[in-house]
Amino acid sequence: MEELIAKHLGFSSAADFLEKTIVGELWNVTQLPDGRWIAWSHEYEVKFFDTKEDATRFYENSHRV
């Protein structure tokens, strides 16, 4: 499943995708090959952002709940 998701997002492999991921408790943050950023949960919910700052802000706010 992770391999399929990684390839769908533009990565060459799941290992490449995970190597570029900032891992958190509830959400992770990853820069996509096209330059956009995503925040994604362990349940595979995905939110897209234009900047790392926006994705990180979302990630940080999700931990305050």
Side-chain angles (χ1 to χ4, degrees):
M1 177 85 152
E2 289 177 354
E3 194 72 33
L4 182 63
I5 291 168
K7 295 214 182 238
H8 179 73
L9 292 171
F11 292 91
S12 61
S13 67
D16 184 35
F17 173 66
L18 294 173
E19 180 179 297
K20 293 177 173 69
T21 297
I22 302 165
V23 178
E25 272 184 58
L26 302 174
W27 289 86
N28 305 303
V29 175
T30 307
Q31 185 175 27
L32 299 175
D34 69 5
R36 293 179 300 159
W37 287 82
I38 58 171
W40 56 279
S41 72
H42 298 286
E43 289 84 31
Y44 300 107
E45 182 180 356
V46 178
K47 306 237 184 247
F48 290 83
F49 299 93
D50 291 328
T51 67
K52 181 179 182 181
E53 292 76 22
D54 290 341
T56 303
R57 187 176 311 111
F58 173 84
Y59 166 87
E60 289 171 350
N61 288 337
S62 72
H63 284 73
R64 293 186 188 148
V65 176

